[in-house]
Each structure stands twice: as C-alpha cells, then as structure tokens.
Amino acid sequence: MGYTTRKTPGDTSWFVHDRFGMFIHWGTYAMAARHEWVKSRECIPEDHYNLYAKYFDPDLYDAKEWAKKAKAAGMKYAVMTTKHHEGFCMFDSAYTDYKCTNTPAGRDLIREYVDAFRAEGLKVGFYYSLIDWHHPEFPIDRIHPRRNDEDAYAQSKDRNMKIYAEYMRNQVRELLTNYGKIDILWFDFSYSKDDPNDKPWMKGKGKDDWEAEELIALARSLQPGIIIDNRTEIEQDLWTPEQYQPLEWVRDKNGERVVWEACQTFSGSWGYYRDESTWKSPEMLIRMLVNTVSIGGNLLMNVGPTARGYLDYRAEAALDVYANWMKYNSRSIYGCTMADEEFKAPADCRFTQSEDGKRLYLLIFAYPFAHIQLRGLAGKVEYAQFLHDASEVKFTEGKVNHFSEGTTVAEDLLVLEIPPVKPNTVVPVIELFLK
Ligand code: GLC
C-alpha cells in the first residue's frame, strides 16, 4: 500500500496526513475590495493607493475567531499573506515603514494570527510575495502598476534588484526568527519567460533575480523542517497547482510523484472582492477536497477577510459547508491518499484509502438508485457502513439481487445495497473495512 513520492528537504510527513488548510489573503487591497491585484489591474497611482494604508483600521479583527472557524471547518494548517504583491507588510518589519503597525490597526497582525492558530492546534505558514510593487528598488515590469506611466523607464532604469533581494532576505529572516516555529513558507511567484507585453527595457523575474538559492538556504538555516513551495523557480517540497483540478497525482519533470497542494478560492478572488459573485456551491467545495485527496494531494482553500477584519457572510457560509461535512466524514480525508491502483471507483464516485491500507472510502458524488457495483472488491471487504452515522451498508458478491440470476455477472463484483433516499450530507461516504 502507499505511493512513494520524491524526497523532500522539509518535513512533509504531517502535511500529507493533514490534507486540508486555510489560505488567508489579507492586506490593504481589502480596502479597495476589488481583488488583490487591484493596484496593477487599475494602475492605481501611489498617492491614492496609500490612502488604503492611511485608513486601514481592522477594528473587528479577531484572529481567535478565524482560528476557531478554520478548525471547525476541518482545516489543520493555515498560510497567511505576510506581504502580497502590493508590498504592504502585515507584520512589524524593521525594514520598511509600509506596514500594519503604521496604520490605524497599530499592531502586528501576523503575530495575532500566529498566536491564535497555534493555540487552536493548527500548523502555521507564511505566504511571502517575491513581487513588490511598493519597494523603490523593484524594477518596473509588465505587471507593475507603474508600467504605463509616461516616465516608467526613467523611474525604473536605476533600480537595483540586488538591494531588493537583500530586503527580502532581511524580511524572511524576521519572519522565521520572531514568530516561533513556522511550518510552511509559501513564496509567490516567478515569471521569468519573455512576454509580448514586455517593453524593450522590461524583463520578467525568476530565481536569479530573487537570489532564490540564498533565500531558501537562509530559510532552511532558520527553520530546518520548514516546507517551501516551488514558485521561486527552484523545486523544493511542494508543487502548487492553482485554480484548476489536476486529474492525476502531480509529477515532476522526471515523472516522479511529488508532494502537492492545490490552492483554490471560494469565489473568483483571493483578496476580498465585494462585488464578485462567482462563489462555489457546497457540492463543488466538498468535491474539490475529495477530488484532490483521491489523487494524493492537499487542498489549500482561501478566505479573503474584509478590511474591518472579519470573514464576510459568504466566506463563513462556505466554511460552514466544510464544517458540517468534515464533522462526520473527515476520516475519509485525514491520513488518506489515492487508493491502490487495483481499486477503480465507479462512475460519479471517488475512492480514498487510509495510509495503512485497511480502510477504503467510497465517496459518492451522484447518489444512484439502490445499488453501487464495485469491481475487483468481491472477497476483499469484511464490513461496510455509512461513515456519517456508522449505519451498516449490506452487500452481496458476484450478483445483483432482484432476479439478476442467469445474467452474466462478474465474479469480482461486490454490490452495495444503498437506501433510496440520499443521506443528509453533501457527499455521502461508505467506509469499507478490507479483510
Ligand atoms: C496567483 C495570484 C496571487 C495569489 C496566488 C495564490 O499568484 O496572482 O494574487 O496570491 O495566485 O496562489
């Protein structure tokens, strides 16, 4: 039982067990409330964008409340933005004045996040943007908010990326020194390939610009077991497919299975976006988690808190969907992975399997009438039950009841007999105890 994955420099043993985390995108872009890229998308002038920091006052921020919501939703770890592409720091950095302690918030918001989530027993991760549209030495490029300024080239031509790379090292040192044990460091993102939108003097940015080898070595020297993603362009512990559903276990360029985590949003935005309405249904939310674990991955599900500091009603409703389902069905997620390749899930269902191989979980996306036929499981299952209420699910082998005698039925067939009324849970789960 079990699949080997490419060896990781960090400690991913807890990670591949816990499976489910909360992504938190929070910064002064929540004031604009039009996506975390709003500064770039709208090319907002500095003096206007600085108003967001001037008036940023998350008076309703209660990290303990967030942590309780995450825990109830079944999330075992969290990753919060310490600095996003806008460059605003949600922690008390000694290397910039552009930070939350210099706003009406007046306190270290990351400190409160770390303390609250750790107190609830969740692992704690930091997202840190490699991109910085505020830093005076970050060269203007095709995604920079100043890219269309008439004097963009004049603004950018003398900027020194090496000074910025040192700034990042200094901040990563602060983050991995001042806040206790940090379990994940989530860098974002590289774009080094040439692009038709580049003006002649512009270029993308990648591992050499970030001085990524030095940055990663520093992180590992401070927190040896830390999990680091692959978005510096240097492969580390974690592959990070985003906003799409992989159809099979993610592999590296050599074809080796890797530790991977899909990151997704409840709606169409990472940061709070007041007027964005593409919020996912309860079925989609649960199926995304199930689909991901059924092919050996983790799901990092994102919330974008408001600038007042609370999770809005839509985010809370989505978290409640997870809480209601995970309360009864989390045994099919934690400590589970892709089922042995001999087990093929029937139509509209997924399998997950416990790491010890003893329990197989059938997760039912479209609830069928009367029977679920499982090939290859005859003789292999000792007992079956609905996971949500531990009620027995009876089964026969080698035949389907109701006058199926005489029809050709596969010898390896196991037929689950299910009630005509779908149990009151978004995705019913049947727990199969293997012999
Ligand atoms: C993309 C988005 C960025 C977001 C990240 C999360 O890189 O540009 O805003 O933080 O995805 O994975």
Side-chain angles (χ1 to χ4, degrees), residues 385-402:
Q385 62 180 13
F386 274 118
L387 182 54
H388 67 281
D389 66 356
S391 60
E392 183 176 12
V393 172
K394 298 169 76 176
F395 59 88
T396 55
E397 295 180 329
K399 65 181 173 66
V400 178
N401 281 335
H402 302 313

Side-chain angles (χ1 to χ4, degrees), residues 35-36 243 264-281 285 288 301-304 312 314-315 318:
H35 196 278
E36 73 284 354
Q243 296 286 42
Q264 298 273 7
T265 50
F266 283 150
S267 70
S269 175
W270 300 91
Y272 180 66
Y273 193 150
R274 179 191 64 211
D275 304 335
E276 210 284 332
S277 58
T278 62
W279 288 72
K280 296 175 175 68
S281 67
L285 293 174
M288 289 169 89
M301 213 20 151
N302 180 77
V303 293
D312 81 329
R314 298 167 296 185

Side-chain angles (χ1 to χ4, degrees), residues 153 197-203:
Y153 175 65
N197 291 316
D198 286 338
K199 291 178 179 140
W201 51 274
M202 287 180 177
K203 72 179 191 67

